[in-house]
Amino acid sequence: MSHRSLILAALVLASFAGPALAQDVRVYGPAETVDPGDVARILGTPEARPAIKMRSLRLLGGARAGKPAPAERVATVDDDSAATDEAGTSEAKGPSALALPVQFGFDSAEIQPAARQQLDALAEGIRLLPAAKPVVIEGHTDAVGAAQYNEQLSQRRAQSVKQYLVATHGIDPARLRVVGMGQRSMLPDLAPHAAEQRRVQFRGE
């Protein structure tokens, strides 16, 4: 195979890179209310696979009756937020994943009571989805500590969230797939040690 063919093959494979490079992420703050309808809409969005570009962090906000709406933080793979449908019209793309700042005990996978309200709303949103719709639960850490340890910790924390959704809300465990990402997929435009990096992220499959 020629050198040029190898390069083209690598570019094709890159276009099908993992979901961390192929989704917009709605990042919730600790005090934000999670709307179950928004959860169902985000997790029910089929994953797009755009050409890989540098990711950026942007604030989305609108104005209503002359008053600015609260900003919404979205981490995105592409600054172009418009998609073109079959008719050739342009429509805004919404996020295809959401991240919650689930609080755990220090160096543990024990979910703190403060995190339950957002997780309860998330569970309600999952229950609005078709019964067969799978959901991926990704644990993420910041860059403090060893990478291997952080990956194991994020796996345990994601598993703890799954157990909570199953035990408390009766969600079928077969629908929930757990992945420990550790510090491998940082939110863009934030310091590697930022508190926002410590999160649990959800996406539909």
Side-chain angles (χ1 to χ4, degrees):
M1 183 180 290
S2 69
H3 181 66
R4 183 177 181 182
S5 297
L6 287 172
I7 293 175
L8 288 174
L11 289 173
V12 170
L13 289 174
S15 68
F16 289 92
L21 289 178
Q23 57 186 300
D24 291 346
V25 183
R26 170 66 166 95
V27 183
Y28 285 87
E32 284 190 83
T33 299
V34 176
D35 185 284
D38 289 342
V39 171
R41 175 179 53 79
I42 293 171
L43 299 185
T45 301
E47 281 189 34
R49 293 194 180 272
I52 297 175
K53 298 183 180 180
M54 293 299 293
R55 290 195 289 179
S56 64
L57 192 68
R58 54 196 169 89
L59 294 178
L60 301 181
R64 221 177 258 184
K67 296 181 179 179
E72 177 181 282
R73 176 174 282 171
V74 177
T76 179
V77 299
D78 193 343
D79 285 336
D80 180 7
S81 61
T84 302
D85 60 21
E86 294 179 359
T89 59
S90 180
E91 59 180 356
K93 291 189 301 182
S96 58
L98 65 92
L100 298 181
V102 180
Q103 297 178 32
F104 298 92
F106 177 72
D107 203 28
S108 83
E110 181 181 354
I111 297 173
Q112 298 296 292
R116 292 174 185 167
Q117 185 174 1
Q118 287 187 333
L119 288 175
D120 292 344
L122 174 90
E124 188 176 342
I126 292 176
R127 294 175 71 90
L128 294 175
L129 294 168
K133 177 70 174 178
V135 174
V136 179
I137 304 172
E138 297 177 352
H140 294 259
T141 69
D142 58 22
V144 177
Q148 182 177 2
Y149 178 80
N150 281 340
E151 186 169 331
Q152 295 170 349
L153 178 62
S154 67
Q155 177 79 20
R156 290 192 291 117
R157 287 178 168 178
Q159 183 64 37
S160 182
V161 169
K162 174 180 177 176
Q163 291 172 348
Y164 179 84
L165 296 175
V166 171
T168 305
H169 295 279
I171 295 176
D172 182 359
R175 298 179 59 186
L176 306 176
R177 182 165 69 88
V178 169
V179 181
M181 297 296 292
Q183 58 194 54
R184 287 184 288 142
S185 183
M186 296 289 179
L187 292 172
D189 294 347
L190 288 173
H193 300 148
E196 290 89 345
Q197 304 289 9
R198 301 189 297 271
R199 67 198 191 277
V200 180
Q201 200 159 291
F202 306 84
R203 58 183 172 84
E205 282 193 311

